[in-house]
Structure formats: structure tokens, C-alpha cells
Amino acid sequence: MDEYEDLVNRLKEEGFDAYSLNIVDDFKLLINNLEKEKPDVIFNFVEIYLNDAKLEMNIAGIYEILGIPYTGASPMGLANCQSKVLTKRILSSNKIKTADFFLVNEIQKSYRHKLKYPLIVKPAFEDASVGIENASVVKNYKLLKERIEHVILQYKQPALVEEFIEGRELNVAIIGDINPDVLPISEIDFSEMPEHLANIVSYQAKWDPLNEAYHKTIPICPAPLNDELRIKVEETALAAFKLMGARDYSRVDIRLTKDDEVYVLEVNPNPDLTEGAGFMRSTETAGYTYNQTLVKIVSFALARGGKIMR
């Protein structure tokens, strides 16, 4: 809540009358507060409800029903991006490359496939790298079977198995609604990653300062790309952003092979807005202050509600 209070204070600095509300899985608390306060706009930070990430879209649906403008993706956009398999199918059907994959819905005696090792195993409906660990990258059938069963048992959902795309990892931040802009591309530098750790942005690499991977995944922004390659990455990310129904602010994660082939890993609507994190790193490089970025995001939601900031 400290981070959300900081956002509230930042918005107050810019002239907004703002407050934070932790709905603590209480639907009535949310509805009663909205009826009482009648906010002009909601900065939507709900990512999980009743410990179920798939209910994220339902909260945005409540805002829609009540007619209250809110920041970030629509319920449909959130639903599209929540399912990694649906994301891959939408993108690939529009000629955007994603890794070959198969989905395992339940534990089986054997798992036949035609993919090439190494593979990476992920929970099918999580974000923020939840369930992605060093052990997620597997190099043989024994490890594959173990990881599939771990994901299904631990996360109570299907396991997504993909070919692991070796190469550079790029984070492409996009801001805007009607005419979105691609911000300076950020790269995760794996050059200091020790041999016993896979070149991935695992959950530990993102969120655990006590883990070695946290200190070996080093962001570089802007990423060193020639103009032709940069444009290719930007166009791919922007197309993915639009196809998946993202809006206001989003981050598209991409792998770039040694042959400069662009593969989309995920489209992340409503990414982390912590100062210094991936999205905000790109806005800062683009010349926006932290406060300016927050105001821009709020302005997109207000405009959808027919309101203009003074």
C-alpha cells in the first residue's frame, strides 16, 4: 500500500483529488465506495480477486457497467492477454511470430511432442513471471515431465510448454490509446548471468533482491539496436499491442534471435508502474517525469469518459 499511497501523493501534486482503496476481496466495499465517492476516473491496479488472476477482467467489467472511466486495458483486453495460449493464437494468426508450443491440461503418463529442446514450461494463466523459475527451462524429457507436473499441481492450471527462444530479450513500452506511441526499447542484458542460471527474467529475477538472478538481469535503455532493427521491433510490438486490445500503457516482451527474427513472448497490459521498473524506465528515457507519465495515463481514461483535464 505504500507504493499506492506514493501514487496518490504524486497525483495530488498535479492537482488531482486522489485517494487509494484496498478492496481486500470485498465486492460490497468496492461498490459502496464508488457510490459514495463518485470518482471521475479510477486508476485500476486490481490484478487478482479472491486469489484468482482470471477474475481481474471482472473488476474492470464492474467499472464498465457503472460507467466510470478507468485506466488501462478493457475487460476483453485483459482476458486476451491473461491466456498465454490465446495470445499466441491471436498473434500467430496475424503473422506475428511466437514460439511453437503445446498445452497440457492435466497430468498424463507421457507427454508426446515434436518441439525442439530446450523448452520452457509456464503456468498458462499467470503474469509478472509467476511460476517462471530457473527450473522452468528444461533440456530433456525427464525434466520436462517433472516441470509440467509441478506447474499443474502448484498453480492449479494447465502448463504451457514452448520452445525456448535463445537470444536477446527486449521490453517494448507503449503509451497511448487512440494513437499509441512506442517508447525507447529496453533490453535485459544477460552477459553477467552465471552458467548455472538460464537467460530468462524469472520471478526471482524480477522480485527477489536476495536472489542471484535479480542482480544478473541488467536493464539497458535504450537498447543498442540499429535503426532498421529498432523499427522492426517497434512495428511488431505496436501491432501486438493493438491486436490484443491493450490501451493506455503496456509492455510487450520480445525475444530477438541471432538472425534478428522477432518473437513476441507476451503482451502485458497494465504493467508495473513502480519508479525504475521496466515501463517507467522507458518513459524516463523518453523524457517524461514520473508524474507526467501518471497524468498522461489518467488523461486517456478521462478522454474516454468525455472529460478533459483543465
Side-chain angles (χ1 to χ4, degrees):
M1 289 303 296
D2 289 343
E3 292 181 6
Y4 297 119
E5 286 302 323
D6 179 57
L7 288 166
V8 167
N9 291 331
R10 300 276 193 154
L11 290 168
K12 286 181 176 179
E13 290 172 4
E14 300 303 319
F16 291 97
D17 180 11
Y19 69 97
S20 64
L21 174 70
N22 183 354
I23 67 173
V24 291
D25 289 343
D26 187 337
F27 177 77
K28 290 183 179 179
L29 174 64
L30 172 63
I31 297 301
N32 290 341
N33 183 270
L34 296 179
E35 289 180 346
K36 177 184 177 182
E37 299 292 343
K38 296 180 172 54
D40 294 311
V41 65
I42 297 169
F43 214 129
N44 182 32
F45 286 108
V46 177
E47 296 182 342
I48 193 168
Y49 185 77
L50 296 175
N51 205 34
D52 186 350
K54 292 194 291 293
L55 293 179
E56 172 188 30
M57 69 191 81
N58 296 51
I59 301 300
I62 293 169
Y63 308 150
E64 292 275 358
I65 291 170
L66 295 176
I68 304 174
Y70 60 95
T71 62
S74 68
M76 185 63 72
L78 293 170
N80 289 345
C81 297
Q82 185 74 59
S83 170
K84 291 180 172 61
V85 172
L86 181 58
T87 296
K88 292 170 74 65
R89 288 174 175 162
I90 291 173
L91 295 179
S92 60
S93 67
N94 286 275
K95 299 181 179 179
I96 293 177
K97 292 181 178 179
T98 70
D100 290 340
F101 74 99
F102 68 94
L103 187 70
V104 183
N105 289 298
E106 57 186 21
I107 293 175
Q108 304 167 14
K109 290 183 178 180
S110 63
Y111 306 96
R112 295 182 179 180
H113 65 89
K114 297 181 179 179
L115 303 186
K116 297 178 181 178
Y117 290 96
L119 305 175
I120 183 167
V121 186
K122 309 173 181 177
F125 296 104
E126 298 290 349
D127 57 13
S129 291
V130 171
I132 299 177
E133 302 168 320
N134 194 57
S136 298
V137 178
V138 299
K139 298 181 179 180
N140 57 55
Y141 178 76
K142 179 179 180 294
L143 294 176
L144 172 64
K145 188 174 187 296
E146 290 175 356
R147 194 64 193 179
I148 287 173
E149 293 171 3
H150 168 81
V151 167
I152 292 173
L153 292 173
Q154 180 71 25
Y155 298 97
K156 312 301 181 185
Q157 60 187 279
L160 173 66
V161 182
E162 297 178 301
E163 288 189 356
F164 180 65
I165 306 299
E166 300 277 6
R168 301 168 67 180
E169 179 142 341
L170 305 175
N171 302 145
V172 187
I174 299 174
I175 191 167
D177 183 7
I178 306 301
N179 296 300
D181 293 320
V182 181
L183 299 171
I185 298 168
S186 184
E187 178 172 5
I188 303 300
D189 181 9
F190 295 119
S191 62
E192 294 188 16
M193 190 75 83
E195 290 186 5
H196 67 274
L197 293 179
N199 289 341
I200 59 172
V201 183
S202 63
Y203 182 86
Q204 291 76 16
K206 275 188 178 179
W207 309 111
D208 185 2
L210 300 179
N211 190 281
E212 184 178 14
Y214 183 91
H215 303 280
K216 302 300 183 181
T217 46
I218 303 167
I220 301 172
C221 190
L225 301 167
N226 62 51
D227 287 344
E228 180 180 359
L229 191 52
R230 176 182 55 77
I231 291 170
K232 183 179 180 181
V233 170
E234 289 177 346
E235 289 178 344
T236 300
L238 191 57
F241 174 93
K242 293 177 178 178
L243 284 167
M244 298 308 299
R247 69 184 185 194
D248 294 356
Y249 66 112
S250 185
R251 192 190 72 246
V252 181
D253 295 337
I254 281 173
R255 278 274 169 153
L256 189 63
T257 71
K258 63 180 180 181
D259 298 320
D260 292 339
E261 294 292 335
V262 178
Y263 284 78
V264 173
L265 299 180
E266 290 190 37
V267 178
N268 298 280
N270 307 5
D272 182 18
L273 291 181
T274 302
E275 193 166 13
F279 183 86
M280 284 301 190
R281 184 164 52 247
S282 289
T283 63
E284 182 180 353
T285 304
Y288 298 117
T289 67
Y290 189 80
N291 287 23
Q292 286 172 337
T293 301
L294 297 179
V295 171
K296 284 180 72 70
I297 293 171
V298 170
S299 72
F300 302 139
L302 284 171
R304 283 194 295 275
K307 299 176 182 180
I308 301 175
M309 290 194 308
R310 298 177 181 177

